[in-house]
Amino acid sequence: MMKRFLALLLTLSLAFSLAACGGDSGETTTPPASSAGTEAGESAGDPVTITVASFNIGNFTEAGAWDSLITAFNEKYPNVTVEIMPVTYADGDQQLTGLITGGGSAIDVVFEGPERIISNYAKEGLLVSLDDLWEASGSDISAGIAEVSQLDGTYYMFPLAAAAHCMAINYEAFEAAGALQYIDEETRTWTTDDFVAACEALKAAMDAGTISMAETGIIYCGAQGGDQGTRALVNNLYSDYFVTDDGSSYNINSENNVKALTLLQDMVNDGTMGVSASYAAAEELQAFANGTCAMTFCWNYSNYTQYAEQAQFTPFAMAFPSDDGVPELEMAGPYGLCVFDTGDQARIDAAKAFVDFVCNDATYGVEAVKTTTFFPVHADWGDIYADAEDADIRAPFAQMSDYLGRYYTLTPGWVNQRTLWWQNLLQPIMTAGADVQSTADAYVEAANAGMAG
């Protein structure tokens, strides 16, 4: 079992990366209290120490980011010592693999997402159930997030924060090109026809010298970084999905997805869309910030804070275009916590109390969410950034959460298909003029083959 787990972790270490940013204050309502405090003993009990492995999510980059949360937790649970072990996406999987395969009792809690917590730890039987926490405090969490927090009907992750990936446009370039007429500025949505018309207007303005930039947008396919953007672009254009409804097959060769890929190929051919086989999202974002292209397909609050200061224009967050004007966006996260089955009931109870406190406390849970820079999964907590200095900047990203769609990334073979996506699908279609249907069929065949191993 551990040999297979080791292989999974080492593979995943190459597949996931995140960006980091900060947050401010807000008001919340109190979620229902959990029973975990009674199990662990809120004010008394034998001393117990738990270790929390924290991936670098948002501003949780150093152990000190947890200090105020731990101080508040210890006011309620003075007998529990919480030790934070920061881990990064560069080598965190190797660190944890060594600790887990060395006996499995060195780690009590991991802070990450379902790709690791559910797809790896839960499937390997390493975690304890968090059903009691969900029963007490999970009623206001969306069904989509609840679904990916469990395995075979048992909850193994309690989520803390999530957000939606979106895209953005250069507002002034669109204005100069007369393309603002093709977007709904209030809802930040647009149709596929409007997207095409906007790109045509931008191209005409570029050709006329009205705006100075090289491309309307760039379909990047040089590596997997930011691949959620190109996936969402293709899936939304004609309102289809990346995997089938039952999750048994990848779906990019469906009629509507092939239609979307064909549209983008045609746009590349006629110059109303750019493409780069040497760019991943980081390069595309830099081109957007530099004014080289008029839109980016990889945008969120994190990227705003990283690139907006470089931009001599207004980056205007937008949902991806869809034929019916109703987008379905991919989710960043959800990020949450799990509890390892160490065989020590006192540590398990203390770990569950810590998870409950971080994810459900009306004051410090909000603080934890803000440290991630994302948005709370508790609907009852409302707009936690309403009083923030940058509330107006955060508001569009909060609005994008209304358009969250299905969560695909727990589909078996996910790591394998990520390389196939940019290398075997986008590159030949967008840069070499490959036949769309046969290329999509070959991608699905290879991606489905990866489901088994």
Side-chain angles (χ1 to χ4, degrees), residues 19-23 58-59 301-306 370-373 394:
C21 307
N59 288 330
Y301 177 77
S302 239
N303 288 337
Y304 178 90
T305 59
Q306 183 175 356
K370 289 177 179 177
T371 306
T372 69
T373 75
R394 288 182 179 273

Side-chain angles (χ1 to χ4, degrees), residues 232-255:
L233 175 62
V234 172
N235 291 159
N236 273 279
L237 284 173
Y238 293 103
S239 300
D240 213 332
Y241 298 105
F242 197 69
V243 299
T244 55
D245 288 342
D246 62 2
S248 64
S249 173
Y250 287 92
N251 193 49
I252 209 65
N253 62 342
S254 70
E255 180 180 354

